[in-house]
Amino acid sequence: MVPTLAYTVFRAIIDGLLEGSLYALMGFGLTIVFRVTRVANFAHAEYVTYGAYAAYVAMVAWGLGLVPAAIVAALVVAGVALASDELVFKPLWRRGSTPLHFLVASIGVGLVLRFSLQAVAASVPGYLNIRLPEFPSTLAIIGGKVAINVVHALAPLLALGTTAALHVLFTRTKLGKAMRATASNPTLARISGINVIMVRRVTWIIGGLLAGLSGFIISYYIQANPEVGWNFLLWMFAAAIAGGFTFYGTIIAGIILGVVGQVAIILAGYYLGVTTAYKPAIALVIMVLVLLFRPEGIIRIQSLGLRRRA
Amino acid sequence: MDVLVAENIYGGYGDSVVIQGVSIKLGKGEIVALVGPNGSGKSTLIKTIYGVARLFKGRVLFEGQDVTGLPPEAKTRIGMSYVPQTNNIFPDLTVQENLEMGAYIIDDPDKIADRMELVFSIFPDLKAFRDRLAGALSGGQRQMLAVARALMTEPKVMFLDEPTAGLAPKIAIGLLKTLIKIREETNIPMLLVEQHARRALELADRGYVLVSGRIAVEGRGEEILSRRDLQELFLGIQRR
């Protein structure tokens, strides 16, 4: 008979893959926005929350199905992300603000987004704690103990699909190459005649789409509230930092962090009686260790397979 | 008619005015050297003309058209081209992608391919490294790539800010010779900033000596080189 601990760890790995995929999707948005615009965007957490709520409204208030709700979440958040750039970050950039100004401004944007959502959610009955009305169906039960459901498959597949789509965008299209060029050297991008304003818009839209999808997955999987994205903030930053703010590094670091974090907290609980409430501490510890010893990131993969065959 | 005329330029950064009323011009097919001691404002002058640094006063005419207020990307679109002194490549892109980004404003893929062939014929080394990340190139190759990227748009005028900075003398001279070759093949006028004044003035048709943000002397290259007083005063060339 397989010992219970093995099942517990297996369960943690499955959950960790799901969470890691979310960290990857969210962290990637953070990374691409930071690389192109130098905004270390704390409001990215709130975009995730808005995705969760947009999906909920789409299903509950408008009676849409799961897939349309996911699309609504992605589009709404893309709009929110674009609006925060157009209204706050771009005007600051035009005035010559530094990354520090952007960072502080992004905290402000995040607060405004979070508490205005909170105010609205508090005034509508049933909106302070939400969960999509359709529960993910079970795909398989391993050993009669570990249930794997649709979301466990959906999140990693979405992360993989997104990575593949982004890879094509970045290596095969003029727009994608222009985005990488702008991330690599913004001044030279302008000098080369690249429309950096357009690149900037597309960047925010992509970051928003991914944050919206992440929010949708969260409210499909667990209960969400106006602070749900905020609770993920440490993890998405940990993924981006461990990935050295490189595109592929962030995705891989996110998935690894998800699994390591989940397995670590389960084992800590098993052996030391530590509750899962301490899980954010793991992200914090990883982040501090990386910043102390490898501030350039552990997994720096800028250009996975970017060298084309001649 | 002059391809480029900059009149009474005042430029700098933030509130500090570095360039104090400089006028320069660039004729068809001309190589013009901009020399002067460290901190004299050579780079700032180019940046101001191109719209990268702040222009306080003055006028820039390109092919008779007033382009004074245009941002750098718009200047590139109308046929100007600029090789910055540092950070002049995209390190995270391959050599070929760097060149593609140089040709960003061109939509016709055939034209881009033609341009790339021309650039590769001028810099054969780059062709061998076309799939390599630009950040992995040697110093000399980087500068070649920087010039090559600026050539991709089929520019009508080129500004080069110390393309030989940090290169070994042999490689630097090779690059300067390549610039002459580019001029012969394409007839693109060039404004060349150079730390090494003698080298630059020897190959240039004309030169300007910039001191403390003002033009101290202008004239043909040999003329400036032959003036003994200038040699020590402005150029730091040792009398042999």
Side-chain angles (χ1 to χ4, degrees):
Chain A
M1 189 191 141
V2 189
T4 322
L5 180 61
Y7 281 119
T8 312
V9 171
F10 181 65
R11 153 104 273 164
I13 292 174
I14 297 295
D15 284 343
L17 276 176
L18 160 60
E19 294 210 0
S21 304
L22 291 174
Y23 304 159
L25 288 172
M26 298 187 267
F28 184 87
L30 215 52
T31 288
I32 191 175
V33 164
F34 178 72
R35 288 293 304 282
V36 172
T37 68
R38 297 282 131 194
V39 179
N41 188 17
F42 276 64
H44 204 76
E46 268 55 59
Y47 300 166
V48 173
T49 314
Y50 273 59
Y53 272 84
Y56 185 71
V57 169
M59 288 190 83
V60 173
W62 304 343
L64 296 180
L66 264 183
V67 176
I71 296 171
V72 167
L75 292 180
V76 165
V77 177
V80 173
L82 189 59
S84 37
D85 185 46
E86 297 289 335
L87 297 175
V88 180
F89 300 116
K90 199 157 81 182
L92 283 172
W93 170 64
R94 286 199 193 283
R95 291 189 171 93
S97 297
T98 67
L100 183 63
H101 298 131
F102 295 144
L103 187 146
V104 175
S106 82
I107 295 175
V109 171
L111 287 174
V112 169
L113 287 176
R114 183 162 11 130
F115 287 106
S116 40
L117 178 69
Q118 192 135 37
V120 175
S123 66
V124 185
Y127 270 69
L128 268 182
N129 283 294
I130 59 161
R131 182 162 182 183
L132 295 191
E134 199 170 316
F135 278 32
S137 52
T138 306
L139 291 177
I141 298 178
I142 311 282
K145 287 186 196 307
V146 181
I148 296 178
N149 71 36
V150 172
V151 185
H152 287 111
L154 181 68
L157 283 178
L158 212 54
L160 272 179
T162 306
T163 311
L166 289 170
H167 183 73
V168 171
L169 173 75
F170 285 146
T171 56
R172 296 282 181 270
T173 69
K174 192 171 174 179
L175 173 66
K177 288 176 191 175
M179 292 177 76
R180 278 170 54 223
T182 311
S184 183
N185 189 339
T187 312
L188 192 63
R190 284 189 75 182
I191 292 168
S192 301
I194 291 174
N195 186 344
V196 288
I197 298 294
M198 194 258 294
V199 164
R200 205 182 159 98
R201 288 201 183 110
V202 175
T203 301
W204 282 95
I205 288 173
I206 289 178
L209 288 174
L210 299 184
L213 283 177
S214 311
F216 160 79
I217 293 174
I218 289 170
S219 59
Y220 187 25
Y221 178 55
I222 53 171
Q223 211 169 53
N225 58 45
E227 288 192 344
V228 70
W230 176 251
N231 296 331
F232 280 97
L233 186 70
L234 265 183
W235 290 98
M236 53 182 106
F237 264 99
I241 288 169
F245 283 94
T246 59
F247 294 160
Y248 298 97
T250 300
I251 290 174
I252 295 166
I255 291 171
I256 292 175
L257 275 179
V259 175
V260 168
Q262 191 65 21
V263 171
I265 197 67
I266 292 299
L267 289 180
Y270 190 84
Y271 289 110
L272 306 170
V274 177
T275 73
T276 51
Y278 288 95
K279 201 177 155 199
I282 296 175
L284 205 58
V285 167
I286 292 174
M287 218 155 70
V288 169
L289 288 179
V290 171
L291 288 174
L292 271 178
F293 297 106
R294 286 285 301 248
E296 70 277 19
I298 306 171
I299 310 160
R300 290 182 61 87
I301 306 175
Q302 196 74 265
S303 41
L304 194 72
L306 281 185
R307 286 167 57 178
R308 258 166 301 144
R309 290 153 294 281
Chain B
M1 193 186 72
D2 292 315
V3 179
L4 185 103
V5 181
E7 291 172 351
N8 198 26
I9 300 288
Y10 287 78
Y13 312 95
D15 293 329
S16 74
V17 186
V18 180
I19 303 299
Q20 321 251 3
V22 169
S23 298
I24 60 168
K25 58 185 182 187
L26 204 55
K28 278 212 168 79
E30 239 186 346
I31 295 186
V32 173
L34 188 58
V35 298
N38 273 331
S40 59
K42 305 184 293 290
S43 292
T44 309
L45 175 57
I46 285 200
K47 285 183 189 163
T48 307
I49 295 176
Y50 214 82
V52 179
R54 184 167 171 195
L55 178 85
F56 294 97
K57 211 175 121 188
R59 216 155 70 110
V60 182
L61 300 173
F62 171 60
E63 294 188 314
Q65 184 191 348
D66 191 331
V67 298
T68 311
L70 290 186
E73 57 269 36
K75 289 204 170 89
T76 301
R77 272 186 217 118
I78 57 170
M80 295 168 74
S81 178
Y82 166 43
V83 181
Q85 183 182 350
T86 52
N87 297 325
N88 50 21
I89 57 165
F90 300 108
D92 303 317
L93 271 60
T94 64
V95 167
Q96 176 158 340
E97 287 170 340
N98 265 268
L99 298 177
E100 287 171 17
M101 288 300 108
Y104 184 83
I105 57 170
I106 303 176
D107 286 325
D108 180 3
D110 293 337
K111 203 170 164 192
I112 296 177
D114 287 350
R115 250 354 246 184
M116 214 171 279
E117 279 317 306
L118 170 78
V119 163
F120 283 147
S121 75
I122 297 169
F123 300 104
D125 282 11
L126 292 181
K127 189 168 190 174
F129 294 135
R130 63 196 294 172
D131 288 326
R132 200 173 278 195
L133 282 183
L137 296 179
S138 72
Q141 290 161 346
R142 276 175 185 238
Q143 297 295 20
M144 287 181 202
L145 179 59
V147 176
R149 182 206 59 80
L151 268 176
M152 285 298 291
T153 49
E154 224 171 317
K156 292 173 203 144
V157 62
M158 256 178 118
F159 295 172
L160 298 118
D161 193 353
E162 289 198 41
T164 65
L167 298 185
K170 223 177 179 175
I171 299 171
I173 290 165
L175 188 62
L176 292 179
K177 281 187 179 151
T178 311
L179 293 183
I180 297 191
K181 194 170 128 196
I182 293 170
R183 195 258 300 261
E184 278 165 10
E185 284 185 24
T186 61
N187 210 30
I188 301 172
M190 301 179 196
L191 180 63
L192 174 69
V193 170
E194 254 291 339
Q195 192 66 249
H196 202 300
R198 178 179 289 278
R199 255 185 225 154
L201 291 170
E202 275 170 2
L203 82 89
D205 303 305
R206 286 189 303 118
Y208 293 94
V209 181
L210 201 63
V211 177
S212 305
R214 292 190 177 83
I215 300 285
V217 185
E218 57 179 288
R220 291 192 302 119
E222 313 93 90
E223 259 172 40
I224 299 176
L225 278 173
S226 65
R227 282 179 57 176
R228 300 196 132 224
D229 54 329
L230 295 181
Q231 292 184 5
E232 277 180 275
L233 207 66
F234 302 129
L235 308 177
I237 298 173
Q238 296 298 314
R239 202 180 288 178
R240 265 174 271 183

